[in-house]
Amino acid sequence: MPETEIHGAGNFDVAELSFDDFKNIVINDYRIAFESRQASLIGRREVLTGKAKFGIFGDGKEVAQLAMAKAFKKGDWRAGYYRDQTFMFATGMSNLKEFFAQLYATPDVEKEPASAGRQMNCHYATRFVNADGSWINQAESKNSSSDISTTSGHIPRLLGLAYASKLYRDNPELKDMTNFSVNGNEVAFGSIGNGSTSEGLFFESFNAAGVLQVPMAISVWDDAYAISVPAKLQTTKEDISEVLKGFQREDGTNGYEIFKVRGWDYVALCETYKRAIGVCRHEHVPVLIHVVEMTQPQGHSSSGSHERYKSKERLEWEIEYDCLVQMRKWMIESAIVTEDDLTELEDAAKKHVRKCQREAWDEMNVDIVAELNEAVALIEELAQQSAAKDDILEATEVLRLCVDPGRKDVFTAIRKALRLTTRENTNERQVLTNWLNKHTDITGDMYNSRLFTGTPSSPLNVPVIDAEYANDAPLVDGREVLNACFEANFERDKTIVAFGEDVGAIGDVNQGFSGLQNKFGDLRITDTGIRESSIIGQGIGLAMRGLKPIAEIQYIDYLLYAINVISDDLACLSYRTYGGQKAPVIIRTRGHRLEGIWHSGSPMSVILGAMRGLHICVPRDMTQAAGMYNTLLRGDEPALVIECLNGYRLKEKLPANVGEFTVPLGKVEILKSGTDITIISYGSTLRLVIEAAHELEKSGINAEVIDPQTLYPFDTDNVCGNSLKKTNKLLVVDEDLPGAASAYILQKVLESQKGYYSLDCPPRTLSAKDHRPPYGSDGDYFSKPSVDDIIEMVYSMMSESNPEKFPPIY
């Protein structure tokens, strides 16, 4: 039967506790909640006084989070959002000093382990990757995946964290991975605001969890608003658990257990969470705990006041039904504690929180003040030897008068002093320059590092093994090379799993996994519903828990449906945790040279812009793709592999070491040497470029053709720039739109590799037209680069340099 009736106060389960023990637990819970509230109040004041840039807090949600924390055990996982500070304090996964260190953006991972100052406050994470890239023992830890600000953006990841428990429970091959799981008994706890349940990511992932039957527990903190928007404009019936009643499991069906409880009722909350998480943990049934009648005393964030949009009656109700007010009242009425004792506790708590706040500020500020004093001394020494003495001293005076100075202020003063003395050559200026260079490196690590974890297990460190071919190597369809590669890797590594639309029973639409589900089982090679965002989230969660997922998106055009999860969560994971977390997901998809608006995709500029933090692999054929998979499956960083849609039935030789040879990332391949022009292309267009290059030879033009193989990283050995020194002409051929991925390649070659200085004519790009290709071969021919286009573009460039030898075609 549905469980959406509100659970009221009943008999608190104290069977195994003495009354004194029970009292101590309750009083300690209240202390944690009260300290958390004080942290919220002080945090807002620190923002308003300018010490912090922005504040968002969990006030009003404290008591429910105490109850949730009681059900959270070692080995469990959290994927929550920015209201969960009380839960983090109650579980011991964070503390007050770390709370304030993050509020002040302290760039010290020891003081602020969640993000080293890279995230807004109340964005939590525990560190589960050691400095050498190895995993901690997750089964013995309480684990929090890294928070993101995007509403409901964390829910797909929550699905993956829960799905890992299912695999660890149901796949006997994983039983010995005791550092990651104890028989799959772990629960993935998620939290979300009621407003965010209107997002598509919530519904998509919620449905997937019901289908998969995974131990996922979602708590909805319902305070009746989403910033200023009331529930009547957010949710049908103004009640998400009413909307989701159809997901309630019944005899013979899958589904959820759904609970509803008031956010100010301590006893009912404790009972509800004990019951709900018990079902979730032991029966592997997802649960929804809808916590209603919550408040938000300080409004949404430090950016505004909730008095602007809440009625007087609502504000009065929130004061009366504040969860701390109600818990305090219940404790006194139940003779758990006297009012005098509570007042004494509260006074002590206020002092403790203020002490933690001051220590966090002082510990962060002491380093900055020391740097400031060093800088001022060096600048003043420079001033004494400079003709610009007065202007330089004015800069130091501005620096001295800074209220709550930051490193920005220090650097600004130094750089101004160096600009003012550009024409002076003194020892003092050199000393100041050296200081700036040294601290630029330090701040580079603070603010600009760890886009990838960069551990010894990085795919960039995987040894290069060349493909080997027998004398009688069979010529097979490209899809068969991939199939053999996947089979060999699944045999080698029991942690590899693959899933996506049509991946399982039919072996994917292009047969790369043909027959492998029958061999390895449907837990390792799995069909999913049509749900791109949660497929990626499923991969993120699995990868965080020690598995190696291949998450397939059927066509690159549909990768856009998952781009928010890839960009906001996966791509920035290592960066936003300062390398403390990793999720080595391999996203497999296919695209390029097909026909029709939604099956011809090459949105490479979108990918390059939104997915920085993934390796972007663009193999020209299936042998190259296989080598890249072999590399990535031995590494620990996320990647996107885009296979060529029109290459699956083209013939390729089958390598004898099909599951072992590797293609290094960031290393280009010169497919044809030449002296007259450098042509860079990737993916499907490379076949056209090679065909064009052979015809160009008949006109006396010797083109050098380069395949970058990966767009990120791009040509780490500067092969393209060196080629340009020889040919002095550059053409980039690309299926993306004009000024898109081709502009990225030009920036890499002309600016990063200094190729500009080798040019004897303007570089050119040949890309698709400014629209998506229409259906049919003619539409493709007139919309994307053709062999004719490539030949004539190269010829015209040669004609510009030597019109006598190469007279215009038209």
Short mmCIF file of all heavy atoms in Angstrom, two decimals, residues 77 135 138 160-186 284 494-495 523 541-548:
data_model
loop_
_atom_site.label_atom_id
_atom_site.label_comp_id
_atom_site.label_asym_id
_atom_site.label_seq_id
_atom_site.Cartn_x
_atom_site.Cartn_y
_atom_site.Cartn_z
N TRP A 77 26.93 6.21 0.57
CA TRP A 77 27.31 7.33 -0.29
C TRP A 77 26.25 8.43 -0.24
O TRP A 77 25.07 8.16 -0.04
CB TRP A 77 27.45 6.85 -1.74
CG TRP A 77 28.76 6.18 -1.97
CD1 TRP A 77 29.09 4.88 -1.70
CD2 TRP A 77 29.95 6.79 -2.48
NE1 TRP A 77 30.39 4.64 -2.02
CE2 TRP A 77 30.95 5.79 -2.51
CE3 TRP A 77 30.26 8.07 -2.93
CZ2 TRP A 77 32.25 6.05 -2.97
CZ3 TRP A 77 31.54 8.32 -3.39
CH2 TRP A 77 32.52 7.32 -3.40
N TRP A 135 42.74 4.26 -4.72
CA TRP A 135 41.47 4.49 -4.03
C TRP A 135 41.65 4.30 -2.52
O TRP A 135 42.42 3.46 -2.08
CB TRP A 135 40.41 3.49 -4.51
CG TRP A 135 40.11 3.50 -5.97
CD1 TRP A 135 40.65 2.70 -6.92
CD2 TRP A 135 39.16 4.33 -6.64
NE1 TRP A 135 40.10 2.98 -8.15
CE2 TRP A 135 39.18 3.98 -8.01
CE3 TRP A 135 38.29 5.34 -6.22
CZ2 TRP A 135 38.37 4.59 -8.96
CZ3 TRP A 135 37.48 5.95 -7.16
CH2 TRP A 135 37.53 5.58 -8.51
N GLN A 138 36.71 2.46 0.49
CA GLN A 138 35.39 3.09 0.55
C GLN A 138 34.44 2.35 1.48
O GLN A 138 33.52 2.97 2.04
CB GLN A 138 34.79 3.15 -0.87
CG GLN A 138 35.59 4.01 -1.82
CD GLN A 138 35.00 4.02 -3.22
OE1 GLN A 138 34.01 3.34 -3.51
NE2 GLN A 138 35.63 4.77 -4.11
N GLY A 160 23.81 6.21 -10.35
CA GLY A 160 24.98 5.36 -10.57
C GLY A 160 25.59 4.85 -9.30
O GLY A 160 26.04 3.70 -9.22
N LEU A 161 25.62 5.69 -8.25
CA LEU A 161 26.17 5.25 -6.97
C LEU A 161 25.34 4.10 -6.40
O LEU A 161 25.89 3.15 -5.83
CB LEU A 161 26.20 6.42 -5.99
CG LEU A 161 27.16 7.55 -6.32
CD1 LEU A 161 26.91 8.77 -5.44
CD2 LEU A 161 28.61 7.10 -6.19
N ALA A 162 24.03 4.19 -6.56
CA ALA A 162 23.15 3.12 -6.07
C ALA A 162 23.26 1.87 -6.94
O ALA A 162 23.25 0.73 -6.44
CB ALA A 162 21.71 3.61 -6.03
N TYR A 163 23.38 2.06 -8.24
CA TYR A 163 23.49 0.93 -9.17
C TYR A 163 24.75 0.12 -8.90
O TYR A 163 24.76 -1.11 -9.07
CB TYR A 163 23.48 1.46 -10.61
CG TYR A 163 23.46 0.39 -11.67
CD1 TYR A 163 22.45 -0.56 -11.72
CD2 TYR A 163 24.46 0.35 -12.64
CE1 TYR A 163 22.44 -1.54 -12.71
CE2 TYR A 163 24.46 -0.62 -13.63
CZ TYR A 163 23.45 -1.56 -13.66
OH TYR A 163 23.45 -2.53 -14.64
N ALA A 164 25.81 0.78 -8.46
CA ALA A 164 27.02 0.05 -8.11
C ALA A 164 26.75 -0.98 -7.02
O ALA A 164 27.27 -2.11 -7.07
CB ALA A 164 28.11 1.02 -7.67
N SER A 165 25.94 -0.62 -6.03
CA SER A 165 25.61 -1.58 -4.98
C SER A 165 24.89 -2.80 -5.56
O SER A 165 25.13 -3.95 -5.13
CB SER A 165 24.73 -0.92 -3.91
OG SER A 165 25.47 0.01 -3.15
N LYS A 166 24.03 -2.57 -6.52
CA LYS A 166 23.34 -3.69 -7.16
C LYS A 166 24.33 -4.63 -7.85
O LYS A 166 24.25 -5.86 -7.72
CB LYS A 166 22.33 -3.16 -8.18
CG LYS A 166 21.54 -4.23 -8.95
CD LYS A 166 20.66 -3.59 -10.00
CE LYS A 166 19.90 -4.62 -10.81
NZ LYS A 166 18.77 -5.20 -10.06
N LEU A 167 25.29 -4.05 -8.57
CA LEU A 167 26.27 -4.89 -9.25
C LEU A 167 27.15 -5.63 -8.25
O LEU A 167 27.47 -6.81 -8.44
CB LEU A 167 27.13 -4.03 -10.18
CG LEU A 167 26.40 -3.39 -11.37
CD1 LEU A 167 27.41 -2.69 -12.28
CD2 LEU A 167 25.60 -4.41 -12.17
N TYR A 168 27.56 -4.94 -7.19
CA TYR A 168 28.38 -5.60 -6.18
C TYR A 168 27.61 -6.72 -5.47
O TYR A 168 28.20 -7.70 -5.04
CB TYR A 168 28.91 -4.59 -5.17
CG TYR A 168 30.08 -3.79 -5.66
CD1 TYR A 168 30.05 -2.41 -5.72
CD2 TYR A 168 31.25 -4.43 -6.07
CE1 TYR A 168 31.14 -1.67 -6.17
CE2 TYR A 168 32.35 -3.71 -6.53
CZ TYR A 168 32.29 -2.34 -6.58
OH TYR A 168 33.37 -1.62 -7.03
N ARG A 169 26.31 -6.58 -5.35
CA ARG A 169 25.52 -7.63 -4.70
C ARG A 169 25.25 -8.79 -5.64
O ARG A 169 25.32 -9.96 -5.22
CB ARG A 169 24.18 -7.05 -4.20
CG ARG A 169 23.24 -8.12 -3.65
CD ARG A 169 22.00 -7.54 -3.00
NE ARG A 169 22.30 -6.93 -1.71
CZ ARG A 169 21.37 -6.57 -0.82
NH1 ARG A 169 20.09 -6.74 -1.10
NH2 ARG A 169 21.72 -6.03 0.33
N ASP A 170 24.95 -8.50 -6.90
CA ASP A 170 24.44 -9.53 -7.81
C ASP A 170 25.50 -10.20 -8.67
O ASP A 170 25.26 -11.27 -9.22
CB ASP A 170 23.36 -8.93 -8.73
CG ASP A 170 22.12 -8.51 -7.96
OD1 ASP A 170 22.00 -8.90 -6.78
OD2 ASP A 170 21.28 -7.80 -8.53
N ASN A 171 26.68 -9.57 -8.81
CA ASN A 171 27.72 -10.16 -9.66
C ASN A 171 28.76 -10.86 -8.80
O ASN A 171 29.58 -10.21 -8.15
CB ASN A 171 28.38 -9.08 -10.51
CG ASN A 171 29.39 -9.65 -11.50
OD1 ASN A 171 29.71 -10.84 -11.47
ND2 ASN A 171 29.93 -8.81 -12.36
N PRO A 172 28.76 -12.19 -8.76
CA PRO A 172 29.70 -12.91 -7.89
C PRO A 172 31.16 -12.65 -8.25
O PRO A 172 32.04 -12.83 -7.40
CB PRO A 172 29.32 -14.38 -8.09
CG PRO A 172 28.57 -14.42 -9.38
CD PRO A 172 27.88 -13.11 -9.51
N GLU A 173 31.45 -12.23 -9.48
CA GLU A 173 32.83 -11.94 -9.87
C GLU A 173 33.42 -10.77 -9.09
O GLU A 173 34.64 -10.60 -9.05
CB GLU A 173 32.91 -11.64 -11.36
CG GLU A 173 32.67 -12.83 -12.26
CD GLU A 173 32.90 -12.46 -13.72
OE1 GLU A 173 32.12 -11.63 -14.25
OE2 GLU A 173 33.85 -12.99 -14.32
N LEU A 174 32.58 -9.94 -8.48
CA LEU A 174 33.04 -8.75 -7.78
C LEU A 174 33.13 -8.95 -6.27
O LEU A 174 33.41 -7.99 -5.54
CB LEU A 174 32.10 -7.58 -8.09
CG LEU A 174 31.93 -7.20 -9.56
CD1 LEU A 174 30.92 -6.06 -9.70
CD2 LEU A 174 33.27 -6.81 -10.19
N LYS A 175 32.92 -10.14 -5.78
CA LYS A 175 32.85 -10.38 -4.34
C LYS A 175 34.14 -10.04 -3.61
O LYS A 175 34.13 -9.70 -2.43
CB LYS A 175 32.48 -11.85 -4.07
CG LYS A 175 31.06 -12.23 -4.47
CD LYS A 175 30.02 -11.44 -3.69
CE LYS A 175 28.61 -11.89 -4.05
NZ LYS A 175 27.57 -11.04 -3.41
N ASP A 176 35.27 -10.14 -4.31
CA ASP A 176 36.54 -9.88 -3.63
C ASP A 176 36.92 -8.40 -3.61
O ASP A 176 37.96 -8.02 -3.07
CB ASP A 176 37.66 -10.69 -4.28
CG ASP A 176 37.90 -10.32 -5.73
OD1 ASP A 176 37.02 -9.67 -6.33
OD2 ASP A 176 38.96 -10.68 -6.28
N MET A 177 36.07 -7.53 -4.16
CA MET A 177 36.38 -6.09 -4.18
C MET A 177 35.87 -5.43 -2.89
O MET A 177 35.04 -4.53 -2.89
CB MET A 177 35.79 -5.44 -5.42
CG MET A 177 36.42 -5.97 -6.70
SD MET A 177 35.93 -5.05 -8.17
CE MET A 177 36.63 -3.43 -7.85
N THR A 178 36.40 -5.93 -1.77
CA THR A 178 35.89 -5.54 -0.47
C THR A 178 36.28 -4.12 -0.08
O THR A 178 35.77 -3.59 0.91
CB THR A 178 36.39 -6.53 0.60
OG1 THR A 178 37.82 -6.62 0.52
CG2 THR A 178 35.78 -7.91 0.38
N ASN A 179 37.19 -3.48 -0.81
CA ASN A 179 37.50 -2.08 -0.54
C ASN A 179 36.41 -1.15 -1.04
O ASN A 179 36.37 0.02 -0.66
CB ASN A 179 38.82 -1.69 -1.21
CG ASN A 179 40.01 -2.09 -0.38
OD1 ASN A 179 39.88 -2.79 0.61
ND2 ASN A 179 41.20 -1.65 -0.77
N PHE A 180 35.55 -1.67 -1.88
CA PHE A 180 34.50 -0.83 -2.48
C PHE A 180 33.10 -1.18 -1.98
O PHE A 180 32.20 -0.35 -2.07
CB PHE A 180 34.54 -0.97 -4.01
CG PHE A 180 35.79 -0.43 -4.63
CD1 PHE A 180 36.84 -1.28 -4.94
CD2 PHE A 180 35.94 0.92 -4.86
CE1 PHE A 180 38.01 -0.78 -5.50
CE2 PHE A 180 37.10 1.43 -5.42
CZ PHE A 180 38.14 0.57 -5.74
N SER A 181 32.92 -2.38 -1.48
CA SER A 181 31.56 -2.79 -1.11
C SER A 181 31.61 -3.99 -0.19
O SER A 181 32.55 -4.79 -0.25
CB SER A 181 30.76 -3.14 -2.37
OG SER A 181 29.47 -3.61 -2.04
N VAL A 182 30.60 -4.10 0.64
CA VAL A 182 30.40 -5.31 1.44
C VAL A 182 29.07 -5.92 0.99
O VAL A 182 28.00 -5.54 1.45
CB VAL A 182 30.38 -4.99 2.95
CG1 VAL A 182 30.15 -6.28 3.75
CG2 VAL A 182 31.68 -4.33 3.37
N ASN A 183 29.17 -6.77 -0.01
CA ASN A 183 28.00 -7.47 -0.55
C ASN A 183 26.90 -6.54 -1.06
O ASN A 183 25.73 -6.90 -1.08
CB ASN A 183 27.41 -8.43 0.50
CG ASN A 183 28.42 -9.47 0.94
OD1 ASN A 183 29.16 -10.01 0.12
ND2 ASN A 183 28.48 -9.74 2.25
N GLY A 184 27.29 -5.35 -1.47
CA GLY A 184 26.31 -4.43 -2.04
C GLY A 184 25.31 -3.88 -1.04
O GLY A 184 24.23 -3.43 -1.44
N ASN A 185 25.66 -3.85 0.24
CA ASN A 185 24.72 -3.40 1.27
C ASN A 185 24.68 -1.88 1.43
O ASN A 185 23.97 -1.37 2.30
CB ASN A 185 25.08 -4.03 2.62
CG ASN A 185 24.83 -5.52 2.63
OD1 ASN A 185 23.92 -6.01 1.96
ND2 ASN A 185 25.64 -6.27 3.37
N GLU A 186 25.41 -1.17 0.60
CA GLU A 186 25.49 0.29 0.75
C GLU A 186 24.28 0.98 0.14
O GLU A 186 23.78 0.59 -0.91
CB GLU A 186 26.76 0.82 0.08
CG GLU A 186 28.03 0.16 0.57
CD GLU A 186 28.28 -1.21 -0.03
OE1 GLU A 186 27.80 -1.48 -1.16
OE2 GLU A 186 28.93 -2.03 0.64
N HIS A 284 16.91 -3.74 -1.28
CA HIS A 284 17.34 -3.08 -2.52
C HIS A 284 16.13 -2.52 -3.28
O HIS A 284 15.92 -2.78 -4.45
CB HIS A 284 18.15 -4.04 -3.39
CG HIS A 284 19.62 -3.92 -3.15
ND1 HIS A 284 20.57 -4.08 -4.13
CD2 HIS A 284 20.33 -3.61 -2.03
CE1 HIS A 284 21.78 -3.91 -3.63
NE2 HIS A 284 21.66 -3.62 -2.34
N LYS A 494 37.32 -7.81 -14.94
CA LYS A 494 35.95 -8.10 -14.51
C LYS A 494 35.21 -6.85 -14.05
O LYS A 494 33.98 -6.89 -13.85
CB LYS A 494 35.98 -9.11 -13.36
CG LYS A 494 36.67 -8.57 -12.11
CD LYS A 494 36.87 -9.64 -11.06
CE LYS A 494 37.63 -9.08 -9.85
NZ LYS A 494 37.90 -10.13 -8.85
N THR A 495 35.92 -5.71 -13.87
CA THR A 495 35.25 -4.49 -13.42
C THR A 495 34.65 -3.70 -14.58
O THR A 495 33.93 -2.73 -14.35
CB THR A 495 36.22 -3.57 -12.66
OG1 THR A 495 37.23 -3.09 -13.54
CG2 THR A 495 36.87 -4.32 -11.50
N LEU A 523 24.39 -8.34 -16.48
CA LEU A 523 24.85 -7.39 -15.49
C LEU A 523 26.05 -6.60 -16.00
O LEU A 523 26.31 -5.48 -15.55
CB LEU A 523 25.25 -8.10 -14.20
CG LEU A 523 24.11 -8.61 -13.32
CD1 LEU A 523 24.66 -9.41 -12.15
CD2 LEU A 523 23.25 -7.45 -12.81
N GLY A 541 28.58 7.39 -11.30
CA GLY A 541 28.48 6.72 -10.01
C GLY A 541 29.24 5.41 -9.97
O GLY A 541 29.93 5.11 -8.99
N LEU A 542 29.13 4.62 -11.02
CA LEU A 542 29.86 3.35 -11.07
C LEU A 542 31.37 3.60 -11.05
O LEU A 542 32.12 2.90 -10.36
CB LEU A 542 29.50 2.58 -12.34
CG LEU A 542 28.08 2.00 -12.43
CD1 LEU A 542 27.91 1.29 -13.77
CD2 LEU A 542 27.79 1.05 -11.29
N ALA A 543 31.82 4.59 -11.81
CA ALA A 543 33.25 4.86 -11.88
C ALA A 543 33.79 5.35 -10.55
O ALA A 543 34.92 5.05 -10.17
CB ALA A 543 33.53 5.89 -12.98
N MET A 544 32.99 6.12 -9.81
CA MET A 544 33.41 6.57 -8.49
C MET A 544 33.59 5.41 -7.52
O MET A 544 34.35 5.51 -6.56
CB MET A 544 32.38 7.56 -7.91
CG MET A 544 32.42 8.93 -8.52
SD MET A 544 31.20 10.00 -7.73
CE MET A 544 31.79 11.62 -8.25
N ARG A 545 32.89 4.33 -7.78
CA ARG A 545 32.93 3.19 -6.87
C ARG A 545 33.79 2.05 -7.39
O ARG A 545 33.58 0.89 -7.03
CB ARG A 545 31.51 2.73 -6.56
CG ARG A 545 30.70 3.79 -5.81
CD ARG A 545 29.41 3.24 -5.25
NE ARG A 545 29.65 2.15 -4.32
CZ ARG A 545 28.70 1.41 -3.77
NH1 ARG A 545 27.41 1.66 -4.08
NH2 ARG A 545 29.00 0.43 -2.94
N GLY A 546 34.76 2.37 -8.23
CA GLY A 546 35.79 1.41 -8.57
C GLY A 546 35.53 0.55 -9.78
O GLY A 546 36.36 -0.30 -10.12
N LEU A 547 34.41 0.75 -10.46
CA LEU A 547 34.13 0.00 -11.67
C LEU A 547 34.58 0.80 -12.89
O LEU A 547 34.88 1.99 -12.79
CB LEU A 547 32.64 -0.35 -11.74
CG LEU A 547 32.15 -1.22 -10.57
CD1 LEU A 547 30.64 -1.37 -10.61
CD2 LEU A 547 32.81 -2.60 -10.59
N LYS A 548 34.62 0.14 -14.04
CA LYS A 548 35.08 0.80 -15.27
C LYS A 548 33.95 0.75 -16.30
O LYS A 548 33.85 -0.18 -17.10
CB LYS A 548 36.34 0.12 -15.80
CG LYS A 548 37.54 0.31 -14.90
CD LYS A 548 38.80 -0.27 -15.47
CE LYS A 548 39.99 -0.01 -14.56
NZ LYS A 548 41.23 -0.65 -15.07
#
